[in-house]
């Protein structure tokens, strides 16, 4: 009996040690972050220094993102969506492939632009130097920046001319990729899967509503939308389609999605001339062209 009890005690003690060890690796301590305060950022000719952003972070950012950058600021319980947890270094808006760190310029632009449909406002009142310093400060929260480099930005090919054929091809791709399951057949964000979506932390998340939205989560330009397809929004159900969509096809999808938005664009005018109707998910796929 004593021998068995001793074995159990040793096993439990070992388990406790392992648990504490893994917890210490999973969460950065203030001492660890203090050692990383020498972190820098590089945007063009600017060099940002984490130490110089400490006051700006405490004044403007800590209420949401928290002292440790873990997204647990005093405002967090009342916010939806929740603030970004900088300690895991996972970001939606990137020019880099899915699963990789963003560039310093990606973070620099996000601070200025803000994130639509969230509580993150545009901080375009900061000087460029302040933003560069804040980028370095954000990076000092995570061990990932100590061991990994940012991904290589994807190449965005020149935007093609808007044509009826491209818009129709984009609509066909919208159906084939089953974008409608989340975004709805009219792009209203009300697809059959919309109410079931969660992010990587199992929190409910809504798909983008193209019908009423004029500004995307990660920008406003066609190139911004192209990058969303090809890099994905890490931490959300929106994947990267880089392995499934050719660059030319991605541009077709961009042009089609512009027809769903409320602005009076060339794409929308062409769609009206075509009499383009919402997709029918149940309609059979068109027959393949006969081989010559």
């Amino acid at each position: 009996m004593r021998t068995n009890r001793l074995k159990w005690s040793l096993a439990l003690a070992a388990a406790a040690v392992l648990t504490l060890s893994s917890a210490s690796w999973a969460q950065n301590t203030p001492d660890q972050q203090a050692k990383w305060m020498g972190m820098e950022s590089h945007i063009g000719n600017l060099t940002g220094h984490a130490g110089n952003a400490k006051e700006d972070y405490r004044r403007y950012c800590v209420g949401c993102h928290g002292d440790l950058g873990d997204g647990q600021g005093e405002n967090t319980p009342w916010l939806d969506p929740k603030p970004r947890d900088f300690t895991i270094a996972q970001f939606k808006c990137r020019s880099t492939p899915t699963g990789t760190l963003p560039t310093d310029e990606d973070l620099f632009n996000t601070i200025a632009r803000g994130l639509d449909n969230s509580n993150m406002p545009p901080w375009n009142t900061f000087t460029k130097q302040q933003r560069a310093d804040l980028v370095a400060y954000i990076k000092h929260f995570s061990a990932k920046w100590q061991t990994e480099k940012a991904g290589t930005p994807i190449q965005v090919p020149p935007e093609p001319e808007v044509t009826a054929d491209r818009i129709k091809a984009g609509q066909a791709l919208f159906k084939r990729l089953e974008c409608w399951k989340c975004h709805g057949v009219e792009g209203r964000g009300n697809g059959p899967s919309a109410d079931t979506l969660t992010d990587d932390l199992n929190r409910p998340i809504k798909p983008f509503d193209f019908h009423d939205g004029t500004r995307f989560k990660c920008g406003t330009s066609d190139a911004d939308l192209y990058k969303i397809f090809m890099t994905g929004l890490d931490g959300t159900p929106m994947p990267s389609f880089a392995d499934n969509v050719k660059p030319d096809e991605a541009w077709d999808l961009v042009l089609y999605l512009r027809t769903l938005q409320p602005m009076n664009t060339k794409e929308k005018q062409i769609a009206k001339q075509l009499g383009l109707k919402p997709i029918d998910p149940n309609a059979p796929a068109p027959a393949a062209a006969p081989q010559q």
Side-chain angles (χ1 to χ4, degrees):
M1 290 287 290
R2 278 185 187 173
T3 302
N4 289 338
R5 285 177 185 165
L6 180 59
K7 287 180 179 178
W8 275 108
S9 298
L10 290 172
L12 289 171
V17 169
L18 288 172
T19 301
L20 288 171
S21 298
S22 61
S24 66
W25 279 104
Q27 186 174 12
N28 301 325
T29 66
D31 287 342
Q32 286 173 316
Q33 291 183 357
K35 292 178 182 178
W36 301 334
M37 192 58 78
M39 180 64 69
E40 292 182 348
S41 68
H42 301 277
I43 301 100
N45 294 325
L46 287 175
T47 298
H49 302 278
N52 293 345
K54 192 170 184 178
E55 289 186 12
D56 279 340
Y57 183 85
R58 287 205 57 80
R59 182 174 182 182
Y60 300 106
C61 313
V62 74
C64 296
H65 294 287
D67 286 316
L68 296 178
D70 55 4
Q72 297 299 317
E74 61 180 355
N75 301 328
T76 297
W78 295 276
L79 300 179
D80 184 26
K82 298 300 182 186
R84 177 66 32 191
D85 178 353
F86 296 135
T87 67
I88 60 176
Q90 185 181 63
F91 297 89
K92 296 175 184 176
C93 301
R94 305 174 329 282
S95 61
T96 60
T98 184
T100 64
L101 290 171
T103 66
D104 291 351
E105 188 171 2
D106 289 333
L107 298 179
F108 183 81
N109 291 338
T110 298
I111 292 171
R113 183 181 60 237
L115 294 172
D116 206 32
N117 296 315
S118 80
N119 295 283
M120 172 67 181
W123 290 105
N124 50 18
T125 52
F126 288 139
T127 66
K128 290 182 178 181
Q129 185 61 57
Q130 282 178 298
R131 275 194 280 150
D133 292 339
L134 280 167
V135 169
Y137 199 82
I138 288 168
K139 290 168 63 178
H140 105 283
F141 284 123
S142 176
K144 272 192 175 183
W145 297 101
Q146 313 300 316
T147 56
E148 298 180 28
K149 293 182 178 180
T152 301
I154 66 167
Q155 295 297 312
V156 180
E159 185 170 350
E161 182 184 355
V162 181
T163 65
D165 286 343
R166 281 194 172 276
I167 289 173
K168 288 188 288 186
Q171 186 183 51
L173 192 62
F174 184 84
K175 180 179 179 181
R176 176 166 68 83
L177 295 177
E178 298 186 333
C179 306
W180 57 272
K181 284 192 172 181
C182 296
H183 295 285
V185 296
E186 295 181 327
R188 295 177 183 266
N190 61 350
S193 300
D195 291 336
T196 68
L197 300 178
T198 58
D199 65 14
D200 283 4
L201 297 177
N202 206 34
R203 300 179 300 207
I205 189 171
K206 294 293 183 183
F208 185 74
D209 178 353
F210 287 96
H211 187 270
D212 293 329
T214 59
R215 185 169 179 262
F216 309 118
K217 179 73 72 177
C218 300
T220 58
S221 71
D222 289 349
D224 291 330
L225 186 51
Y226 178 98
K227 283 188 282 190
I228 290 173
F229 299 151
M230 303 306 258
T231 67
L233 298 176
D234 283 0
T236 80
M238 177 64 190
S240 162
F241 288 103
D243 294 333
N244 310 95
V245 175
K246 298 175 182 176
D248 214 38
E249 291 178 318
W251 274 122
D252 293 343
L253 191 54
V254 169
L255 301 182
Y256 171 66
L257 290 174
R258 287 300 196 186
T259 72
L260 303 177
Q261 292 189 277
M263 303 89 75
N264 184 24
T265 60
K266 184 176 181 180
E267 293 91 340
K268 203 172 184 75
Q269 292 170 4
I270 292 176
K272 188 175 182 180
Q273 293 168 3
L274 291 170
L276 204 65
K277 298 186 182 303
I279 65 164
D280 179 0
N282 299 314
Q291 293 184 348
Q292 299 296 325

